[in-house]
Amino acid sequence: MTRNWRHRAIWKSMPPQLRIFIENNPSFVACIVLCLIFSLFVPKFFSISNLVNILDIVSLTMITASTMGLVIMLGSIDLSLEGISGLACVVASVFVRNAMTPFAIGYWAIPIAILVGMIGGLINGVIHTYVKIPSFMITFCMGSIMTGVGVLIIKGVAVVVRDDSIRWLALGRIFGIPFSFIIAVLIVIILDLFHKKTIHGRYISMIGGDEGIVRDLGINVRKIKIVLFGLVGMVYGLVGVLLVAKLGSGHPYNSWDMNFEAISACLIGGIAITGGVGNIGKAVVGSFIIVILKNGMILLNIDPYVQAGIVGVITIAIVALTIDREKITILK
Amino acid sequence: MKKVLMVIVVVLMMATLFAAAQREVETKPIYLASSIRNLANAYHFALAEGARLFARSIGQEGYFQVLASEGSSEKQLNDIKALVAKSGGNAVFHIDPNEAIDVIAIARELTAAKCYFVTNYNKPEDVDVADYPYWVTHMGVQSEGCGYATAKALLSKIGGRGKVFVLRGMLGNNADIERYAGFERALKEFPNVQVIGWESADWLKQRAYNIVSNKLISDPDLAAIWSANDDMAAGAIEALRAKGLNGKVVVTGADATPEMLDLIKKGDALMTASADPYWQAGIGLAMAYAAQTGKLDVAALPATKRNWRTPMVMVDASNVDEMLSMTENPPKIDYTDFWGRWSE
């Protein structure tokens, strides 16, 4: 990027720490620029109500993108997000007070949903590593299976939730900040600490960079993968609970669209699809870019027929401008 | 010795298969199928269940199958072909085509296989049912009327003035096109209403939530939201609830899902519409079965009975309890009364 930039004088006059930050975080800079442009040209974009609105909508995307980011950095892909979180959403809804079943166990539904997610994730990891089925295939199939199980449980009819305490997870506010966003920040911090501060986490990017070398070093790659898929599944389970809280019902389709959004957020943020490159922060930035783009389109009342095209063009532009081509040795 | 044993096993297997095939040929049951989009959608689930209830009523539930296309036109056609092959051409179908245009390939396939079928909802206007002798009837739905009625109720409720936002479904679906046409017809009667825009949420609740959440920023004084289906309406209501506006912004939908009925009862939604999918699919399959067994002469049916629209029932606070009890305990359907709800 610096070699092609015209304004060398301005670039060289910047403090070195700022230059390094911009070089290492181009997506973050793109996000800031996007916010500045929207603040100037999009009415009501830079208002408290809209910022709170963005935090509310981005919370689920942040969580799913962060977990997806870990899987992508591992060199794999996880297409079971919609299925696992959809099933967890159904399971959580049938166990809290609802219009369909006699259960009403309140917050105890959360660990049950997380357990369901963990089981789904572990199955992904075990079959991927032991049976050696590519991650995209096994997770795609597991996603379908999980969706099918969810449909079987509720027979196609959404479970209407009547538990206000669960709803508070999404509807509640602390000093005006959506509680779901606070949960998202906590999850992101935990995942980031796991990735950067634990041995297990550090191996993730190493495996994504070159699995052969890591294996030759005698590290148990299989165990690391299984643990990661299990962890990711647990987070998907929690996402299912948050979907119940947000939408007030349990249905496998409540998680529709999440796969594509999570993967897009990671790529836009700068996590290389080939693995080994990236961090949780990039996934978070990518999440904000996607949500802010869609928010801007609606606020500007852009014709729905062209919205998808505009979002696509801007996304390509952001990725093209921010991608670090030197770190990507294989293009897929 | 091993080779001899293997030969004996293979011969036994072939004999068993032959015997089973012979038994099937002798009894030749009529297979019944309901071809719908997917079971995760409450409306399509009800269609499939309605068809199943008919199969059960004639003691043929063991030969009933649900064919879920999962939104793929190709899969829908392949599944139908597979059942035709399995049944030896002795099958009847209730079909909700994935897209309107798919009905042509399906009609050709089933006409060649001599299998009677009934279709729901999606059909191109210029396709004539009478061109296909095994196509018993097409039961459309008064979607335009539904869109008109819900829009009229919505716009009347806000006193004929104020800002209205529109949530549309998948833009290629007949249901979306016709319901929105109904909305536009109603809109002409309320010149002081300001439609601030529309978005497609593809029938999805989560997508509708995000769209409405964003829309409430640019237009916090929204008076009403017209939604082409109940799932999106429910998503809109949850977005309103997050801002404390549920029950204050008027919302309508369509399909009469249990969730929407609950929201009407709570006062968060104004109206929905029911096409009675249990009845639609049950009666449709009953007609196809009657044709296959010689009890219904398709060729003798007038053109108006080969292509017609079933009425929709509007549901609001005045009759939501009745609709809820019907949802929990579906009334018995007279499967011989094909034309009870028919009108020219």
Side-chain angles (χ1 to χ4, degrees):
Chain A
M1 185 170 154
T2 50
R3 283 193 292 272
N4 297 330
W5 213 4
R6 295 177 194 170
H7 305 289
R8 286 181 182 276
I10 300 172
W11 178 249
K12 281 184 178 172
S13 68
M14 284 184 186
Q17 296 93 331
L18 182 59
R19 288 206 306 259
I20 291 167
F21 180 81
I22 291 173
E23 277 190 351
N24 290 337
N25 301 282
S27 301
F28 180 77
V29 174
C31 186
I32 298 294
V33 169
L34 192 65
C35 288
L36 283 170
I37 293 172
F38 278 5
S39 299
L40 289 171
F41 297 108
V42 178
K44 296 186 184 174
F45 176 81
F46 201 70
S47 61
I48 299 289
S49 58
N50 193 45
L51 295 177
V52 170
N53 175 51
I54 287 172
L55 294 183
D56 178 32
I57 296 176
V58 85
S59 50
L60 283 178
T61 313
M62 268 171 67
I63 298 173
T64 54
S66 301
T67 44
M68 186 67 74
L70 285 173
V71 177
I72 292 177
M73 284 188 271
L74 182 75
S76 300
I77 197 82
D78 189 346
L79 302 178
S80 65
L81 160 58
E82 285 172 10
I84 293 179
S85 51
L87 175 59
C89 175
V90 167
V91 167
S93 69
V94 302
F95 278 113
V96 300
R97 197 159 55 88
N98 66 84
M100 196 183 273
T101 70
F103 304 113
I105 63 175
Y107 286 135
W108 286 108
I110 298 174
I112 294 176
I114 291 174
L115 180 65
V116 165
M118 187 178 78
I119 292 171
L122 285 173
I123 294 175
N124 280 337
V126 165
I127 297 181
H128 170 50
T129 53
Y130 278 93
V131 185
K132 292 188 173 27
I133 294 178
S135 59
F136 84 89
M137 177 60 73
I138 181 56
T139 56
F140 178 74
C141 295
M142 273 305 293
S144 296
I145 292 169
M146 293 279 173
T147 299
V149 172
V151 171
L152 238 136
I153 291 173
I154 62 170
K155 301 202 189 321
V157 179
V159 180
V160 176
V161 164
R162 301 201 198 284
D163 188 328
D164 289 339
S165 59
I166 282 290
R167 296 300 315 271
W168 195 84
L169 294 176
L171 299 175
R173 299 283 185 267
I174 294 182
F175 301 117
I177 298 174
F179 191 61
S180 57
F181 181 73
I182 295 172
I183 294 174
V185 168
L186 286 171
I187 302 282
V188 163
I189 290 173
I190 291 170
L191 291 175
D192 194 45
L193 287 171
F194 166 76
H195 180 231
K196 285 181 180 154
K197 302 291 182 191
T198 67
I199 296 172
H200 230 94
R202 285 186 190 165
Y203 282 148
I204 289 172
S205 295
M206 285 172 62
I207 293 168
D210 194 323
E211 187 171 325
I213 289 177
V214 177
R215 223 182 272 280
D216 291 342
L217 288 170
I219 291 156
N220 191 339
V221 170
R222 178 180 284 162
K223 181 178 154 191
I224 291 166
K225 286 187 174 185
I226 292 173
V227 166
L228 177 65
F229 275 104
L231 173 69
V232 160
M234 285 172 68
V235 178
Y236 292 167
L238 182 63
V239 167
V241 174
L242 291 174
L243 282 168
V244 171
K246 179 177 176 180
L247 299 175
S249 65
H251 194 281
Y253 277 14
N254 281 355
S255 55
W256 218 242
D257 261 357
M258 283 185 150
N259 266 342
F260 180 72
E261 266 208 356
I263 294 170
S264 301
C266 291
L267 300 185
I268 291 171
I271 295 179
I273 193 69
T274 46
V277 175
N279 56 55
I280 299 291
K282 289 182 190 292
V284 171
V285 169
S287 310
F288 270 93
I289 290 175
I290 284 182
V291 169
I292 287 168
L293 268 176
K294 288 184 181 175
N295 173 257
M297 295 294 114
I298 304 266
L299 293 183
L300 280 171
N301 215 12
I302 301 278
D303 190 329
Y305 287 118
V306 300
Q307 265 185 43
I310 292 176
V311 170
V313 166
I314 295 176
T315 303
I316 289 172
I318 292 174
V319 175
L321 286 170
T322 60
I323 199 168
D324 190 343
R325 291 169 180 79
E326 287 169 8
K327 285 189 181 160
I328 297 173
T329 52
I330 302 165
L331 191 64
K332 287 183 181 174
Chain B
M1 188 60 189
K2 266 190 190 172
K3 278 188 186 170
V4 169
L5 275 170
M6 206 162 18
V7 168
I8 293 171
V9 166
V10 168
V11 166
L12 278 171
M13 278 173 63
M14 287 176 65
T16 313
L17 278 169
F18 183 71
Q22 283 292 92
R23 246 196 325 275
E24 269 203 33
V25 165
E26 278 154 19
T27 54
K28 227 174 178 199
I30 298 176
Y31 283 76
L32 302 99
S34 178
S35 175
I36 44 96
R37 187 168 290 127
N38 64 58
L39 291 167
N41 177 289
Y43 178 78
H44 287 264
F45 182 87
L47 282 175
E49 272 309 286
R52 183 191 302 278
L53 287 171
F54 166 69
R56 187 182 295 168
S57 74
I58 58 169
Q60 296 285 85
E61 195 175 356
Y63 294 100
F64 172 77
Q65 259 186 261
V66 175
L67 309 175
S69 72
E70 304 300 338
S72 164
S73 302
E74 193 187 349
K75 183 176 187 299
Q76 182 169 46
L77 184 61
N78 288 343
D79 287 348
I80 289 170
K81 282 181 179 177
L83 188 61
V84 167
K86 176 180 172 181
S87 65
N90 205 26
V92 294
F93 295 83
H94 151 260
I95 300 167
D96 188 325
N98 189 45
E99 297 286 352
I101 199 70
D102 300 339
V103 84
I104 298 172
I106 291 170
R108 282 191 189 141
E109 179 63 35
L110 291 177
T111 300
K114 298 191 170 69
C115 294
Y116 285 97
F117 65 102
V118 166
T119 53
N120 260 134
Y121 248 118
N122 292 320
K123 180 185 84 66
E125 284 300 320
D126 57 348
V127 170
D128 190 354
V129 176
D131 291 341
Y132 302 90
Y134 288 84
W135 190 347
V136 179
T137 189
H138 174 74
M139 296 163 66
V141 175
Q142 288 171 355
S143 292
E144 198 274 352
C146 157
Y148 174 79
T150 52
K152 187 153 183 181
L154 182 109
L155 300 175
S156 300
K157 182 75 177 173
I158 60 172
R161 55 183 67 246
K163 290 182 178 178
V164 175
F165 179 61
V166 172
L167 279 170
R168 295 184 62 178
M170 290 174 83
L171 299 178
N173 278 177
N174 273 29
D176 171 76
I177 293 167
E178 291 174 15
R179 287 174 186 176
Y180 185 60
F183 170 82
E184 288 188 308
R185 181 161 65 97
L187 190 62
K188 288 179 186 155
E189 299 174 19
F190 297 88
N192 294 321
V193 164
Q194 184 194 356
V195 176
I196 56 165
W198 64 267
E199 292 285 336
S200 167
D202 287 339
W203 306 123
L204 298 172
K205 184 177 183 180
Q206 153 90 319
R207 211 177 271 187
Y209 178 103
N210 289 345
I211 287 170
V212 171
S213 253
N214 286 326
K215 204 64 190 171
L216 285 169
I217 300 297
S218 60
D219 295 276
D221 53 346
L222 205 53
I225 299 173
W226 180 89
S227 171
N229 88 335
D230 284 348
D231 284 344
M232 296 188 300
I237 289 168
E238 294 311 318
L240 291 167
R241 192 188 308 283
K243 289 173 170 59
L245 294 172
N246 54 301
K248 295 173 187 157
V249 176
V250 181
V251 180
T252 59
D255 289 339
T257 61
E259 186 178 10
M260 188 64 168
L261 297 178
D262 193 69
L263 288 167
I264 290 174
K265 204 170 154 73
K266 274 199 254 187
D268 290 338
L270 178 69
M271 182 182 276
T272 182
S274 172
D276 199 350
Y278 286 96
W279 175 86
Q280 268 188 59
I283 277 292
L285 198 57
M287 290 166 75
Y289 187 79
Q292 189 85 355
T293 53
K295 293 183 180 128
L296 177 65
D297 184 355
V298 177
L301 291 174
T304 50
K305 285 187 175 176
R306 299 288 299 275
N307 186 9
W308 53 294
R309 289 179 185 268
T310 62
M312 292 190 87
V313 174
M314 298 301 133
V315 184
D316 58 17
S318 66
N319 61 347
V320 68
D321 284 327
E322 187 188 333
M323 188 58 64
L324 273 167
S325 69
M326 280 170 62
T327 305
E328 282 148 25
N329 302 297
K332 266 186 127 32
I333 297 171
D334 179 0
Y335 293 112
T336 59
D337 182 14
F338 301 144
W339 312 110
R341 298 189 195 183
W342 173 85
S343 60
E344 294 246 21

